[in-house]
Amino acid sequence: MVADYIIVGQGLCGTFLSWNLIQQGCTVLVIDEPQTSSSSKVASGVINPITGRRMVKTWMIDELLPFAWAQYQQLGNELGVSLVKKCSVVQFHTTPQMRDAFTERLAEDETYLQVEDNSTWEPYFRFNYGAAAITPCLHIEVNAMLSAWRNVLKSKGALLEEHFDLDQLLYNETGVQYKNISASKIIFCNGTDAYDMPFFNKLPFARNKGEALIVDIPGLPATDIYKHGFTIVPWSDGLFWVGSTYEWDFTSLEPTPLFRKKVEEHLGYWLKLPFSVVAHLSAERPATLERRPFVGIHPLHPAIGILNGTGTKGCSLAPYFAQEFSRFLVDGQPITPQADVARFQKVLSR
Ligand SMILES: Cc1cc2nc3c(=O)[nH]c(=O)nc-3n(C[C@H](O)[C@H](O)[C@H](O)COP(=O)(O)OP(=O)(O)OC[C@H]3O[C@@H](n4cnc5c(N)ncnc54)[C@H](O)[C@@H]3O)c2cc1C
């Protein structure tokens, strides 16, 4: 079998890269081992333009948000599935200081911010210091997208559902061979698996674990996202995703009883509605020390590339940088320097 590109991984990165390359007339073969707890499958699917205590705009968001909106709509139309909705993150201030910081921030720049009417939310939540909204945010149906695109790849004979075995890879300057498949390049979109693999394991990845509960909360409107320490996000089947943690130091990737207890206690105080826990998820995010993705070709191996390191922001970074990378591969267009792995040329050449 011959393909233009072999792509390892079909999370957010592999999905958008394969979709873009096919749109540009290329052939792809995606190798993905089915896993229930990959980062993309556990993600809540939120694109939030303002984050942190200081409520700052996230990197490149004025460009990334409208771009993501258009891309998810286009892919959703092709797949016949609704993938993206505009919504607000309703943020309940947890302290008077937080409320004051919001008021100051609003006076400086109103973009993406508005004050909420407390009475809208009083039937559902207990809160003492008022509420604000970050709007518009996007909410992505990540799992629906992954499975619908997987079906398209299957129907094209472009998916190999197996563990990628590095020992079977042969490569030189002009191409690669994996088992009986020849391609001009192989692109690794294998998320946290890249940490332990040659080629890109010298990149400054940062291990970061996140957990979430899937919770039934009858009566809570599934129109928006709610934040008060933890975040509640609409999930599939009328359920809600509640999370998350950002753990930099951990010994196991398994869900922990401590997280479940903390979230249950928190919801018990915050929600005025009854709730029940249906599932407990955890996964490792492919995060990076400098919080910028890794996109491009290995400086020593022209047939080997990477799209990875999207950290906490795969929903916005993957569509944008997959398109940039595919245009680089097909037409030689440039990659944003802060994302291009060429910035690690020295490290990768050792
Ligand atoms: C709890 C949690 C919540 C999150 N919430 C959000 C959010 O709301 N918004 C947001 O933007 N981001 C969020 N993220 C981050 C987001 O999930 C990631 O940035 C993104 O999913 C990474 O996508 P990826 O394609 O690089 O990696 P992955 O999703 O990990 O995909 C890698 C794929 O490669 C496959 N693979 C790996 N190794 C092999 C191999 N050897 N052989 C075959 N297949 C292989 C895996 O099976 C997997 O399918 C969250 C992450 C977590 C953990």
Side-chain angles (χ1 to χ4, degrees), residues 9-13 31-33 35 38-40 42-46 162-164 189-191 193 210 241 244 283 285-286 310-315:
Q10 195 241 322
L12 277 156
C13 287
I31 304 173
D32 186 84
E33 178 179 35
Q35 276 180 26
S38 69
S39 190
S40 301
V42 170
S44 57
V46 179
E162 64 176 44
H163 183 79
F164 172 80
C189 299
N190 53 343
D193 251 49
W241 177 106
S244 181
R285 301 174 181 90
T310 54
T312 56
K313 301 196 168 45
C315 292

PDB file of all heavy atoms in Angstrom, residues 9-13 31-33 35 38-40 42-46 162-164 189-191 193 210 241 244 283 285-286 310-315, ligand 1:
ATOM      1  N   GLY A   9      -2.012   8.232  15.389  1.00  0.00           N
ATOM      2  CA  GLY A   9      -2.898   8.848  16.384  1.00  0.00           C
ATOM      3  C   GLY A   9      -4.100   9.518  15.734  1.00  0.00           C
ATOM      4  O   GLY A   9      -3.959  10.222  14.730  1.00  0.00           O
ATOM      5  N   GLN A  10      -5.260   9.262  16.320  1.00  0.00           N
ATOM      6  CA  GLN A  10      -6.481   9.930  15.829  1.00  0.00           C
ATOM      7  C   GLN A  10      -7.220  10.592  16.985  1.00  0.00           C
ATOM      8  O   GLN A  10      -8.391  10.361  17.236  1.00  0.00           O
ATOM      9  CB  GLN A  10      -7.395   8.927  15.088  1.00  0.00           C
ATOM     10  CG  GLN A  10      -8.487   9.583  14.246  1.00  0.00           C
ATOM     11  CD  GLN A  10      -9.903   9.204  14.690  1.00  0.00           C
ATOM     12  OE1 GLN A  10     -10.155   8.056  15.071  1.00  0.00           O
ATOM     13  NE2 GLN A  10     -10.829  10.159  14.643  1.00  0.00           N
ATOM     14  N   GLY A  11      -6.486  11.417  17.731  1.00  0.00           N
ATOM     15  CA  GLY A  11      -7.132  12.318  18.689  1.00  0.00           C
ATOM     16  C   GLY A  11      -7.491  13.591  17.929  1.00  0.00           C
ATOM     17  O   GLY A  11      -7.674  13.578  16.706  1.00  0.00           O
ATOM     18  N   LEU A  12      -7.571  14.701  18.654  1.00  0.00           N
ATOM     19  CA  LEU A  12      -7.879  15.980  17.989  1.00  0.00           C
ATOM     20  C   LEU A  12      -6.839  16.303  16.911  1.00  0.00           C
ATOM     21  O   LEU A  12      -7.188  16.726  15.801  1.00  0.00           O
ATOM     22  CB  LEU A  12      -7.909  17.090  19.035  1.00  0.00           C
ATOM     23  CG  LEU A  12      -9.230  17.222  19.805  1.00  0.00           C
ATOM     24  CD1 LEU A  12      -9.008  17.891  21.163  1.00  0.00           C
ATOM     25  CD2 LEU A  12     -10.258  18.012  18.998  1.00  0.00           C
ATOM     26  N   CYS A  13      -5.547  16.088  17.224  1.00  0.00           N
ATOM     27  CA  CYS A  13      -4.498  16.458  16.260  1.00  0.00           C
ATOM     28  C   CYS A  13      -4.546  15.580  15.014  1.00  0.00           C
ATOM     29  O   CYS A  13      -4.542  16.097  13.889  1.00  0.00           O
ATOM     30  CB  CYS A  13      -3.122  16.369  16.928  1.00  0.00           C
ATOM     31  SG  CYS A  13      -2.863  17.714  18.098  1.00  0.00           S
ATOM     32  N   ILE A  31      -2.918   5.421  11.781  1.00  0.00           N
ATOM     33  CA  ILE A  31      -2.765   4.249  12.661  1.00  0.00           C
ATOM     34  C   ILE A  31      -3.174   4.693  14.063  1.00  0.00           C
ATOM     35  O   ILE A  31      -2.571   5.616  14.623  1.00  0.00           O
ATOM     36  CB  ILE A  31      -1.301   3.755  12.679  1.00  0.00           C
ATOM     37  CG1 ILE A  31      -0.838   3.443  11.254  1.00  0.00           C
ATOM     38  CG2 ILE A  31      -1.171   2.530  13.581  1.00  0.00           C
ATOM     39  CD1 ILE A  31       0.650   3.105  11.152  1.00  0.00           C
ATOM     40  N   ASP A  32      -4.210   4.091  14.596  1.00  0.00           N
ATOM     41  CA  ASP A  32      -4.668   4.497  15.934  1.00  0.00           C
ATOM     42  C   ASP A  32      -5.138   3.273  16.705  1.00  0.00           C
ATOM     43  O   ASP A  32      -5.975   2.505  16.241  1.00  0.00           O
ATOM     44  CB  ASP A  32      -5.811   5.510  15.846  1.00  0.00           C
ATOM     45  CG  ASP A  32      -6.192   6.032  17.226  1.00  0.00           C
ATOM     46  OD1 ASP A  32      -5.543   6.979  17.701  1.00  0.00           O
ATOM     47  OD2 ASP A  32      -7.119   5.463  17.846  1.00  0.00           O
ATOM     48  N   GLU A  33      -4.571   3.138  17.882  1.00  0.00           N
ATOM     49  CA  GLU A  33      -4.964   2.049  18.768  1.00  0.00           C
ATOM     50  C   GLU A  33      -6.155   2.524  19.591  1.00  0.00           C
ATOM     51  O   GLU A  33      -6.027   3.533  20.292  1.00  0.00           O
ATOM     52  CB  GLU A  33      -3.778   1.742  19.679  1.00  0.00           C
ATOM     53  CG  GLU A  33      -4.031   0.673  20.685  1.00  0.00           C
ATOM     54  CD  GLU A  33      -2.767   0.428  21.520  1.00  0.00           C
ATOM     55  OE1 GLU A  33      -2.019   1.376  21.806  1.00  0.00           O
ATOM     56  OE2 GLU A  33      -2.576  -0.724  21.886  1.00  0.00           O
ATOM     57  N   GLN A  35      -8.381   3.526  22.403  1.00  0.00           N
ATOM     58  CA  GLN A  35      -8.121   3.700  23.848  1.00  0.00           C
ATOM     59  C   GLN A  35      -9.278   4.492  24.423  1.00  0.00           C
ATOM     60  O   GLN A  35      -9.704   5.458  23.801  1.00  0.00           O
ATOM     61  CB  GLN A  35      -6.870   4.558  24.067  1.00  0.00           C
ATOM     62  CG  GLN A  35      -5.571   3.834  24.011  1.00  0.00           C
ATOM     63  CD  GLN A  35      -4.396   4.801  24.242  1.00  0.00           C
ATOM     64  OE1 GLN A  35      -4.547   5.834  24.874  1.00  0.00           O
ATOM     65  NE2 GLN A  35      -3.251   4.451  23.708  1.00  0.00           N
ATOM     66  N   SER A  38      -7.853   8.430  26.212  1.00  0.00           N
ATOM     67  CA  SER A  38      -6.911   9.387  25.626  1.00  0.00           C
ATOM     68  C   SER A  38      -7.357  10.787  26.060  1.00  0.00           C
ATOM     69  O   SER A  38      -8.500  10.997  26.477  1.00  0.00           O
ATOM     70  CB  SER A  38      -6.931   9.286  24.103  1.00  0.00           C
ATOM     71  OG  SER A  38      -8.161   9.763  23.624  1.00  0.00           O
ATOM     72  N   SER A  39      -6.460  11.741  25.930  1.00  0.00           N
ATOM     73  CA  SER A  39      -6.766  13.110  26.350  1.00  0.00           C
ATOM     74  C   SER A  39      -8.000  13.633  25.610  1.00  0.00           C
ATOM     75  O   SER A  39      -8.913  14.213  26.217  1.00  0.00           O
ATOM     76  CB  SER A  39      -5.539  13.970  26.054  1.00  0.00           C
ATOM     77  OG  SER A  39      -5.659  15.214  26.621  1.00  0.00           O
ATOM     78  N   SER A  40      -8.057  13.429  24.301  1.00  0.00           N
ATOM     79  CA  SER A  40      -9.191  13.974  23.538  1.00  0.00           C
ATOM     80  C   SER A  40     -10.518  13.365  23.995  1.00  0.00           C
ATOM     81  O   SER A  40     -11.539  14.059  24.036  1.00  0.00           O
ATOM     82  CB  SER A  40      -9.007  13.701  22.040  1.00  0.00           C
ATOM     83  OG  SER A  40      -7.813  14.279  21.572  1.00  0.00           O
ATOM     84  N   VAL A  42     -11.376  12.349  26.923  1.00  0.00           N
ATOM     85  CA  VAL A  42     -11.748  12.762  28.284  1.00  0.00           C
ATOM     86  C   VAL A  42     -12.038  14.272  28.341  1.00  0.00           C
ATOM     87  O   VAL A  42     -12.652  14.773  29.280  1.00  0.00           O
ATOM     88  CB  VAL A  42     -10.604  12.355  29.253  1.00  0.00           C
ATOM     89  CG1 VAL A  42     -10.779  12.937  30.620  1.00  0.00           C
ATOM     90  CG2 VAL A  42     -10.513  10.833  29.336  1.00  0.00           C
ATOM     91  N   ALA A  43     -11.621  15.009  27.297  1.00  0.00           N
ATOM     92  CA  ALA A  43     -11.745  16.476  27.311  1.00  0.00           C
ATOM     93  C   ALA A  43     -13.198  16.925  27.363  1.00  0.00           C
ATOM     94  O   ALA A  43     -14.079  16.283  26.801  1.00  0.00           O
ATOM     95  CB  ALA A  43     -11.079  17.054  26.065  1.00  0.00           C
ATOM     96  N   SER A  44     -13.407  18.079  28.024  1.00  0.00           N
ATOM     97  CA  SER A  44     -14.779  18.603  28.111  1.00  0.00           C
ATOM     98  C   SER A  44     -15.171  19.371  26.858  1.00  0.00           C
ATOM     99  O   SER A  44     -16.338  19.682  26.658  1.00  0.00           O
ATOM    100  CB  SER A  44     -14.917  19.509  29.335  1.00  0.00           C
ATOM    101  OG  SER A  44     -13.982  20.557  29.282  1.00  0.00           O
ATOM    102  N   GLY A  45     -14.197  19.732  26.025  1.00  0.00           N
ATOM    103  CA  GLY A  45     -14.524  20.347  24.736  1.00  0.00           C
ATOM    104  C   GLY A  45     -14.815  21.838  24.780  1.00  0.00           C
ATOM    105  O   GLY A  45     -15.558  22.354  23.954  1.00  0.00           O
ATOM    106  N   VAL A  46     -14.183  22.528  25.727  1.00  0.00           N
ATOM    107  CA  VAL A  46     -14.473  23.958  25.873  1.00  0.00           C
ATOM    108  C   VAL A  46     -13.356  24.800  25.246  1.00  0.00           C
ATOM    109  O   VAL A  46     -12.172  24.508  25.438  1.00  0.00           O
ATOM    110  CB  VAL A  46     -14.594  24.327  27.374  1.00  0.00           C
ATOM    111  CG1 VAL A  46     -14.861  25.820  27.544  1.00  0.00           C
ATOM    112  CG2 VAL A  46     -15.682  23.494  28.028  1.00  0.00           C
ATOM    113  N   GLU A 162      -4.525  -0.414  15.294  1.00  0.00           N
ATOM    114  CA  GLU A 162      -3.553  -1.256  16.004  1.00  0.00           C
ATOM    115  C   GLU A 162      -2.522  -0.377  16.680  1.00  0.00           C
ATOM    116  O   GLU A 162      -2.430   0.820  16.408  1.00  0.00           O
ATOM    117  CB  GLU A 162      -2.879  -2.224  15.021  1.00  0.00           C
ATOM    118  CG  GLU A 162      -2.042  -1.527  13.961  1.00  0.00           C
ATOM    119  CD  GLU A 162      -1.296  -2.503  13.052  1.00  0.00           C
ATOM    120  OE1 GLU A 162      -1.911  -3.495  12.629  1.00  0.00           O
ATOM    121  OE2 GLU A 162      -0.109  -2.266  12.778  1.00  0.00           O
ATOM    122  N   HIS A 163      -1.742  -0.994  17.557  1.00  0.00           N
ATOM    123  CA  HIS A 163      -0.656  -0.293  18.226  1.00  0.00           C
ATOM    124  C   HIS A 163       0.457  -0.048  17.206  1.00  0.00           C
ATOM    125  O   HIS A 163       0.867  -0.967  16.507  1.00  0.00           O
ATOM    126  CB  HIS A 163      -0.150  -1.146  19.394  1.00  0.00           C
ATOM    127  CG  HIS A 163       0.911  -0.490  20.186  1.00  0.00           C
ATOM    128  ND1 HIS A 163       0.646   0.470  21.124  1.00  0.00           N
ATOM    129  CD2 HIS A 163       2.262  -0.624  20.149  1.00  0.00           C
ATOM    130  CE1 HIS A 163       1.786   0.893  21.649  1.00  0.00           C
ATOM    131  NE2 HIS A 163       2.771   0.248  21.074  1.00  0.00           N
ATOM    132  N   PHE A 164       0.932   1.179  17.091  1.00  0.00           N
ATOM    133  CA  PHE A 164       2.042   1.470  16.192  1.00  0.00           C
ATOM    134  C   PHE A 164       3.318   0.931  16.830  1.00  0.00           C
ATOM    135  O   PHE A 164       3.645   1.260  17.971  1.00  0.00           O
ATOM    136  CB  PHE A 164       2.164   2.987  15.972  1.00  0.00           C
ATOM    137  CG  PHE A 164       3.399   3.362  15.216  1.00  0.00           C
ATOM    138  CD1 PHE A 164       3.443   3.235  13.841  1.00  0.00           C
ATOM    139  CD2 PHE A 164       4.524   3.840  15.882  1.00  0.00           C
ATOM    140  CE1 PHE A 164       4.597   3.561  13.139  1.00  0.00           C
ATOM    141  CE2 PHE A 164       5.674   4.167  15.193  1.00  0.00           C
ATOM    142  CZ  PHE A 164       5.712   4.026  13.817  1.00  0.00           C
ATOM    143  N   CYS A 189       1.063  12.117  15.791  1.00  0.00           N
ATOM    144  CA  CYS A 189       0.009  12.852  16.513  1.00  0.00           C
ATOM    145  C   CYS A 189      -0.411  11.955  17.677  1.00  0.00           C
ATOM    146  O   CYS A 189      -1.598  11.737  17.921  1.00  0.00           O
ATOM    147  CB  CYS A 189      -1.192  13.100  15.605  1.00  0.00           C
ATOM    148  SG  CYS A 189      -0.829  14.078  14.153  1.00  0.00           S
ATOM    149  N   ASN A 190       0.583  11.382  18.334  1.00  0.00           N
ATOM    150  CA  ASN A 190       0.319  10.314  19.309  1.00  0.00           C
ATOM    151  C   ASN A 190       0.242  10.810  20.745  1.00  0.00           C
ATOM    152  O   ASN A 190       0.432  10.029  21.680  1.00  0.00           O
ATOM    153  CB  ASN A 190       1.357   9.196  19.157  1.00  0.00           C
ATOM    154  CG  ASN A 190       2.789   9.698  19.209  1.00  0.00           C
ATOM    155  OD1 ASN A 190       3.036  10.891  19.046  1.00  0.00           O
ATOM    156  ND2 ASN A 190       3.729   8.813  19.435  1.00  0.00           N
ATOM    157  N   GLY A 191      -0.022  12.101  20.935  1.00  0.00           N
ATOM    158  CA  GLY A 191      -0.255  12.620  22.289  1.00  0.00           C
ATOM    159  C   GLY A 191       0.888  12.283  23.229  1.00  0.00           C
ATOM    160  O   GLY A 191       2.068  12.384  22.859  1.00  0.00           O
ATOM    161  N   ASP A 193       2.134   9.613  24.186  1.00  0.00           N
ATOM    162  CA  ASP A 193       3.025   8.518  23.799  1.00  0.00           C
ATOM    163  C   ASP A 193       4.346   9.041  23.250  1.00  0.00           C
ATOM    164  O   ASP A 193       5.351   8.335  23.260  1.00  0.00           O
ATOM    165  CB  ASP A 193       2.356   7.649  22.729  1.00  0.00           C
ATOM    166  CG  ASP A 193       1.960   6.306  23.301  1.00  0.00           C
ATOM    167  OD1 ASP A 193       1.331   6.315  24.381  1.00  0.00           O
ATOM    168  OD2 ASP A 193       2.298   5.273  22.685  1.00  0.00           O
ATOM    169  N   GLY A 210      -5.339  15.100  34.373  1.00  0.00           N
ATOM    170  CA  GLY A 210      -6.631  15.712  34.694  1.00  0.00           C
ATOM    171  C   GLY A 210      -7.693  14.652  34.931  1.00  0.00           C
ATOM    172  O   GLY A 210      -7.713  13.624  34.250  1.00  0.00           O
ATOM    173  N   TRP A 241     -20.237  16.880  32.529  1.00  0.00           N
ATOM    174  CA  TRP A 241     -18.810  16.613  32.853  1.00  0.00           C
ATOM    175  C   TRP A 241     -18.443  17.603  33.961  1.00  0.00           C
ATOM    176  O   TRP A 241     -18.737  18.795  33.841  1.00  0.00           O
ATOM    177  CB  TRP A 241     -18.026  16.880  31.584  1.00  0.00           C
ATOM    178  CG  TRP A 241     -16.532  16.759  31.576  1.00  0.00           C
ATOM    179  CD1 TRP A 241     -15.807  15.750  31.004  1.00  0.00           C
ATOM    180  CD2 TRP A 241     -15.564  17.706  32.070  1.00  0.00           C
ATOM    181  NE1 TRP A 241     -14.452  16.016  31.117  1.00  0.00           N
ATOM    182  CE2 TRP A 241     -14.285  17.211  31.773  1.00  0.00           C
ATOM    183  CE3 TRP A 241     -15.658  18.928  32.732  1.00  0.00           C
ATOM    184  CZ2 TRP A 241     -13.113  17.881  32.103  1.00  0.00           C
ATOM    185  CZ3 TRP A 241     -14.494  19.590  33.079  1.00  0.00           C
ATOM    186  CH2 TRP A 241     -13.239  19.064  32.763  1.00  0.00           C
ATOM    187  N   SER A 244     -11.799  20.216  36.518  1.00  0.00           N
ATOM    188  CA  SER A 244     -10.856  19.126  36.485  1.00  0.00           C
ATOM    189  C   SER A 244      -9.700  19.462  37.409  1.00  0.00           C
ATOM    190  O   SER A 244      -9.726  20.479  38.091  1.00  0.00           O
ATOM    191  CB  SER A 244     -10.332  18.967  35.059  1.00  0.00           C
ATOM    192  OG  SER A 244      -9.435  17.894  34.988  1.00  0.00           O
ATOM    193  N   ALA A 283      -7.079  11.319  32.450  1.00  0.00           N
ATOM    194  CA  ALA A 283      -6.151  11.195  31.323  1.00  0.00           C
ATOM    195  C   ALA A 283      -5.014  12.178  31.527  1.00  0.00           C
ATOM    196  O   ALA A 283      -5.094  13.081  32.358  1.00  0.00           O
ATOM    197  CB  ALA A 283      -6.859  11.500  30.006  1.00  0.00           C
ATOM    198  N   ARG A 285      -2.718  15.074  29.839  1.00  0.00           N
ATOM    199  CA  ARG A 285      -2.697  16.046  28.732  1.00  0.00           C
ATOM    200  C   ARG A 285      -1.286  16.102  28.138  1.00  0.00           C
ATOM    201  O   ARG A 285      -0.316  16.132  28.911  1.00  0.00           O
ATOM    202  CB  ARG A 285      -3.044  17.449  29.237  1.00  0.00           C
ATOM    203  CG  ARG A 285      -4.393  17.573  29.903  1.00  0.00           C
ATOM    204  CD  ARG A 285      -4.551  18.981  30.501  1.00  0.00           C
ATOM    205  NE  ARG A 285      -5.824  19.147  31.185  1.00  0.00           N
ATOM    206  CZ  ARG A 285      -6.038  18.896  32.471  1.00  0.00           C
ATOM    207  NH1 ARG A 285      -5.052  18.452  33.242  1.00  0.00           N
ATOM    208  NH2 ARG A 285      -7.235  19.077  33.000  1.00  0.00           N
ATOM    209  N   PRO A 286      -1.168  16.212  26.817  1.00  0.00           N
ATOM    210  CA  PRO A 286       0.169  16.405  26.235  1.00  0.00           C
ATOM    211  C   PRO A 286       0.572  17.870  26.355  1.00  0.00           C
ATOM    212  O   PRO A 286       0.477  18.651  25.405  1.00  0.00           O
ATOM    213  CB  PRO A 286      -0.005  15.967  24.770  1.00  0.00           C
ATOM    214  CG  PRO A 286      -1.456  16.150  24.483  1.00  0.00           C
ATOM    215  CD  PRO A 286      -2.207  16.080  25.785  1.00  0.00           C
ATOM    216  N   THR A 310      -0.552  20.199  22.598  1.00  0.00           N
ATOM    217  CA  THR A 310      -1.643  21.177  22.676  1.00  0.00           C
ATOM    218  C   THR A 310      -2.103  21.410  24.118  1.00  0.00           C
ATOM    219  O   THR A 310      -2.953  22.275  24.355  1.00  0.00           O
ATOM    220  CB  THR A 310      -2.838  20.744  21.807  1.00  0.00           C
ATOM    221  OG1 THR A 310      -3.221  19.426  22.195  1.00  0.00           O
ATOM    222  CG2 THR A 310      -2.486  20.763  20.326  1.00  0.00           C
ATOM    223  N   GLY A 311      -1.577  20.646  25.074  1.00  0.00           N
ATOM    224  CA  GLY A 311      -1.824  20.913  26.496  1.00  0.00           C
ATOM    225  C   GLY A 311      -3.296  20.976  26.859  1.00  0.00           C
ATOM    226  O   GLY A 311      -4.057  20.066  26.556  1.00  0.00           O
ATOM    227  N   THR A 312      -3.694  22.087  27.494  1.00  0.00           N
ATOM    228  CA  THR A 312      -5.089  22.237  27.942  1.00  0.00           C
ATOM    229  C   THR A 312      -5.969  22.804  26.828  1.00  0.00           C
ATOM    230  O   THR A 312      -7.151  23.059  27.045  1.00  0.00           O
ATOM    231  CB  THR A 312      -5.164  23.209  29.136  1.00  0.00           C
ATOM    232  OG1 THR A 312      -4.575  24.451  28.734  1.00  0.00           O
ATOM    233  CG2 THR A 312      -4.430  22.679  30.353  1.00  0.00           C
ATOM    234  N   LYS A 313      -5.417  23.017  25.635  1.00  0.00           N
ATOM    235  CA  LYS A 313      -6.154  23.781  24.615  1.00  0.00           C
ATOM    236  C   LYS A 313      -6.238  23.078  23.262  1.00  0.00           C
ATOM    237  O   LYS A 313      -6.198  23.728  22.205  1.00  0.00           O
ATOM    238  CB  LYS A 313      -5.509  25.149  24.449  1.00  0.00           C
ATOM    239  CG  LYS A 313      -5.511  25.910  25.763  1.00  0.00           C
ATOM    240  CD  LYS A 313      -5.260  27.358  25.621  1.00  0.00           C
ATOM    241  CE  LYS A 313      -5.566  28.107  26.899  1.00  0.00           C
ATOM    242  NZ  LYS A 313      -5.064  27.502  28.122  1.00  0.00           N
ATOM    243  N   GLY A 314      -6.357  21.761  23.289  1.00  0.00           N
ATOM    244  CA  GLY A 314      -6.395  21.017  22.024  1.00  0.00           C
ATOM    245  C   GLY A 314      -7.550  21.418  21.118  1.00  0.00           C
ATOM    246  O   GLY A 314      -7.424  21.410  19.891  1.00  0.00           O
ATOM    247  N   CYS A 315      -8.678  21.796  21.704  1.00  0.00           N
ATOM    248  CA  CYS A 315      -9.866  22.091  20.874  1.00  0.00           C
ATOM    249  C   CYS A 315      -9.642  23.316  19.988  1.00  0.00           C
ATOM    250  O   CYS A 315     -10.193  23.390  18.901  1.00  0.00           O
ATOM    251  CB  CYS A 315     -11.090  22.324  21.753  1.00  0.00           C
ATOM    252  SG  CYS A 315     -11.611  20.832  22.589  1.00  0.00           S
TER     253      CYS A 315
HETATM  254  C1  LIG B   1      -9.471  16.115  31.836  1.00  0.00           C
HETATM  255  C2  LIG B   1      -9.127  16.875  30.578  1.00  0.00           C
HETATM  256  C3  LIG B   1      -9.951  17.904  30.159  1.00  0.00           C
HETATM  257  C4  LIG B   1      -9.631  18.614  29.010  1.00  0.00           C
HETATM  258  N1  LIG B   1     -10.489  19.598  28.592  1.00  0.00           N
HETATM  259  C5  LIG B   1     -10.180  20.329  27.494  1.00  0.00           C
HETATM  260  C6  LIG B   1     -11.057  21.353  27.044  1.00  0.00           C
HETATM  261  O1  LIG B   1     -12.140  21.569  27.587  1.00  0.00           O
HETATM  262  N2  LIG B   1     -10.672  22.094  25.958  1.00  0.00           N
HETATM  263  C7  LIG B   1      -9.493  21.882  25.301  1.00  0.00           C
HETATM  264  O2  LIG B   1      -9.204  22.603  24.339  1.00  0.00           O
HETATM  265  N3  LIG B   1      -8.655  20.877  25.687  1.00  0.00           N
HETATM  266  C8  LIG B   1      -8.965  20.115  26.761  1.00  0.00           C
HETATM  267  N4  LIG B   1      -8.127  19.117  27.179  1.00  0.00           N
HETATM  268  C9  LIG B   1      -6.852  18.953  26.457  1.00  0.00           C
HETATM  269  C10 LIG B   1      -7.049  18.167  25.159  1.00  0.00           C
HETATM  270  O3  LIG B   1      -7.721  16.997  25.487  1.00  0.00           O
HETATM  271  C11 LIG B   1      -5.713  17.854  24.491  1.00  0.00           C
HETATM  272  O4  LIG B   1      -5.015  19.060  24.224  1.00  0.00           O
HETATM  273  C12 LIG B   1      -5.908  17.116  23.173  1.00  0.00           C
HETATM  274  O5  LIG B   1      -6.927  16.170  23.287  1.00  0.00           O
HETATM  275  C13 LIG B   1      -4.658  16.404  22.716  1.00  0.00           C
HETATM  276  O6  LIG B   1      -4.963  15.768  21.502  1.00  0.00           O
HETATM  277  P1  LIG B   1      -3.914  14.833  20.774  1.00  0.00           P
HETATM  278  O7  LIG B   1      -4.529  14.413  19.496  1.00  0.00           O
HETATM  279  O8  LIG B   1      -2.584  15.507  20.715  1.00  0.00           O
HETATM  280  O9  LIG B   1      -3.673  13.604  21.767  1.00  0.00           O
HETATM  281  P2  LIG B   1      -4.650  12.351  22.206  1.00  0.00           P
HETATM  282  O10 LIG B   1      -6.035  12.789  22.393  1.00  0.00           O
HETATM  283  O11 LIG B   1      -3.945  11.725  23.350  1.00  0.00           O
HETATM  284  O12 LIG B   1      -4.591  11.415  20.952  1.00  0.00           O
HETATM  285  C14 LIG B   1      -3.493  10.571  20.676  1.00  0.00           C
HETATM  286  C15 LIG B   1      -4.017   9.363  19.923  1.00  0.00           C
HETATM  287  O13 LIG B   1      -2.891   8.565  19.555  1.00  0.00           O
HETATM  288  C16 LIG B   1      -3.164   7.220  19.816  1.00  0.00           C
HETATM  289  N5  LIG B   1      -1.879   6.555  20.037  1.00  0.00           N
HETATM  290  C17 LIG B   1      -0.903   6.911  20.902  1.00  0.00           C
HETATM  291  N6  LIG B   1       0.130   6.070  20.796  1.00  0.00           N
HETATM  292  C18 LIG B   1      -0.199   5.154  19.852  1.00  0.00           C
HETATM  293  C19 LIG B   1       0.467   4.005  19.295  1.00  0.00           C
HETATM  294  N7  LIG B   1       1.696   3.626  19.680  1.00  0.00           N
HETATM  295  N8  LIG B   1      -0.177   3.290  18.361  1.00  0.00           N
HETATM  296  C20 LIG B   1      -1.417   3.644  17.930  1.00  0.00           C
HETATM  297  N9  LIG B   1      -2.095   4.710  18.422  1.00  0.00           N
HETATM  298  C21 LIG B   1      -1.481   5.462  19.369  1.00  0.00           C
HETATM  299  C22 LIG B   1      -4.052   7.247  21.054  1.00  0.00           C
HETATM  300  O14 LIG B   1      -4.828   6.071  21.151  1.00  0.00           O
HETATM  301  C23 LIG B   1      -4.921   8.474  20.770  1.00  0.00           C
HETATM  302  O15 LIG B   1      -6.065   8.128  20.034  1.00  0.00           O
HETATM  303  C24 LIG B   1      -8.441  18.331  28.289  1.00  0.00           C
HETATM  304  C25 LIG B   1      -7.633  17.267  28.697  1.00  0.00           C
HETATM  305  C26 LIG B   1      -7.972  16.535  29.829  1.00  0.00           C
HETATM  306  C27 LIG B   1      -7.098  15.378  30.242  1.00  0.00           C
END
